[in-house]
Amino acid sequence: MSSTPSPFASVKLPSALVQQAREAAQPQRRSIAGQIEYWATLGRIADETGLTVQEAREAIALYDARHRAPADESLDAIEARFMAAESTGRLAQAVRDTVLANRQKTAPTRRAA
């Protein structure tokens, strides 16, 4: 009997981290796993692009605003679109575009300082 491989894997995390994720997830209407994925995405963006966490958050928010879901779209559908954007590289490109735009805005200020 062959089974389709699952796109998910189980990992062990410290209970304190899981509790922090639970507390952070609730006001954002995310699952605990969704919150940890969000944190991991922020970390990867910051690590790979040199952005601060705040800049990464702004880039994600800008991307989300550009691709705003209809009001009746379920959270699962929104998460699926986010994951699709991440897996195709569209999210990373949106981050790069935001970084470039921010650098161009701040370039005259940096020269003047």
Side-chain angles (χ1 to χ4, degrees):
M1 171 184 219
S2 68
S3 64
T4 305
S6 171
F8 300 100
S10 295
V11 296
K12 291 185 178 186
L13 298 171
S15 59
L17 176 63
V18 173
Q19 182 59 37
Q20 290 170 345
R22 179 178 286 115
E23 292 167 3
Q26 189 173 14
Q28 301 300 323
R29 298 180 59 196
R30 294 185 184 114
S31 65
I32 295 169
Q35 182 65 39
I36 293 171
E37 288 175 23
Y38 177 76
W39 285 342
T41 300
L42 281 176
R44 280 197 332 259
I45 290 170
D47 189 51
E48 293 173 9
T49 65
L51 290 175
T52 66
V53 171
Q54 184 58 37
E55 289 169 329
R57 282 183 181 143
E58 290 170 6
I60 290 171
L62 180 61
Y63 177 86
D64 287 345
R66 287 184 184 154
H67 299 87
R68 183 72 54 206
D72 62 346
E73 188 172 27
S74 72
L75 291 176
D76 289 337
I78 293 168
E79 184 176 12
R81 286 188 323 102
F82 178 83
M83 297 303 289
E86 183 179 28
S87 68
T88 62
R90 289 190 324 245
L91 181 58
Q93 185 59 49
V95 168
R96 285 190 289 275
D97 293 345
T98 301
V99 170
L100 181 60
N102 286 340
R103 286 185 179 154
Q104 289 172 345
K105 288 178 190 174
T106 61
T109 306
R110 287 183 183 165
R111 285 187 209 128

